[in-house]
Amino acid sequence: IPPGSRQRVKIREESWQADFVHLLRPSLTTQAFVRATVKLPEGREIPSGTAMFMIDGAVLGKRQFVFSGQDGVFPFGVDPLVTAQSVLLSRKSGEKGLIVDRQTQEWSWRMDIRNAGTSAVRIRLEEPMPQPRDERIHITLRSEPEASEKTSSEMVWRMEIPEGQKRTIFNTIRLDAPKEMDLDLGWRR
């Protein structure tokens, strides 16, 4: 190789079957993040270097890549054709009880998920679960459709959205707490 000139030598090329999912977190951003999960039949050891990332033949870019093992989850960046928007529909507060010793909060919002692309996409939409942090606080949560999974910290919806289609999820939270309690209602104020 002559001094000063750059040479590119292809060492290895492989095609891996991957399971692609669009990750959406509408409480944080409208963007959809594409990630691929790979389960290889045998382990691979790939040292750090530059890799070209592609989906269905479309080049997404080049960036550093390193991998060791059989299983991996790889981020592919943002898909501008898939979005999720959270829209506050109503917010109510009040008092209840004979001596007005309780405060109530209720808010409803919808999440609109759009696929403006030309093929169906599988999505995983994640929303934080309300955290009462005090046993005197009572929270009731309703969702339509119901979340596919619920943990103590998040709700997850999994669905497929056909090309050019939109899906909507409706949520309502009702909170009941002692009147004198100072509440942090989080980001959905």
Side-chain angles (χ1 to χ4, degrees):
I1 300 176
S5 67
R6 292 183 66 186
Q7 293 282 328
R8 182 170 299 200
V9 178
K10 187 188 301 185
I11 296 173
R12 186 176 192 168
E13 180 177 323
E14 294 184 14
S15 293
W16 295 352
Q17 290 298 315
D19 183 22
F20 287 91
V21 173
H22 286 67
L23 175 63
L24 298 148
R25 293 180 174 145
S27 60
L28 299 174
T29 181
T30 59
Q31 296 178 315
F33 299 91
V34 181
R35 67 182 187 188
T37 302
V38 174
K39 292 186 186 303
L40 302 173
E42 58 188 50
R44 296 277 195 282
E45 196 73 37
I46 300 174
S48 181
T50 303
M52 183 179 303
F53 285 76
M54 302 171 71
I55 297 178
D56 294 332
V59 176
L60 300 175
K62 297 178 186 179
R63 60 182 181 270
Q64 283 299 108
F65 181 79
V66 63
F67 179 72
S68 178
Q70 284 183 270
D71 302 335
V73 177
F74 307 105
F76 274 71
V78 174
D79 182 345
L81 299 176
V82 179
T83 58
Q85 184 174 16
S86 185
V87 178
L88 185 64
L89 299 175
S90 70
R91 170 117 196 293
K92 303 172 190 172
S93 62
E95 300 169 335
K96 72 176 198 175
L98 293 174
I99 313 171
V100 192
D101 63 341
R102 306 285 292 172
Q103 60 178 309
T104 60
Q105 302 280 334
E106 182 177 295
W107 55 106
S108 299
W109 72 98
R110 76 170 193 262
M111 295 177 289
D112 296 324
I113 304 107
R114 287 186 173 78
N115 176 11
T118 57
S119 59
V121 295
R122 289 191 21 234
I123 66 143
R124 175 187 170 97
L125 187 140
E126 298 176 349
E127 274 286 281
M129 189 69 110
Q131 301 297 313
R133 309 258 188 245
D134 188 302
E135 63 187 28
R136 298 173 295 166
I137 299 173
H138 304 286
I139 295 177
T140 306
L141 176 65
R142 290 188 322 268
S143 299
E144 181 59 41
E146 285 293 323
S148 308
E149 302 170 30
K150 285 185 183 177
T151 67
S152 61
S153 62
E154 73 178 351
M155 298 174 285
V156 176
W157 287 265
R158 296 176 189 271
M159 60 182 73
E160 185 166 307
I161 303 179
E163 65 275 3
Q165 297 291 311
K166 173 183 133 180
R167 295 284 185 267
T168 301
I169 298 170
F170 293 94
N171 287 312
T172 300
I173 292 178
R174 181 169 174 77
L175 178 143
D176 180 283
K179 181 175 175 63
E180 73 280 352
M181 187 176 284
D182 187 23
L183 300 173
D184 177 2
L185 301 176
W187 61 273
R188 282 206 196 336
R189 293 179 185 227

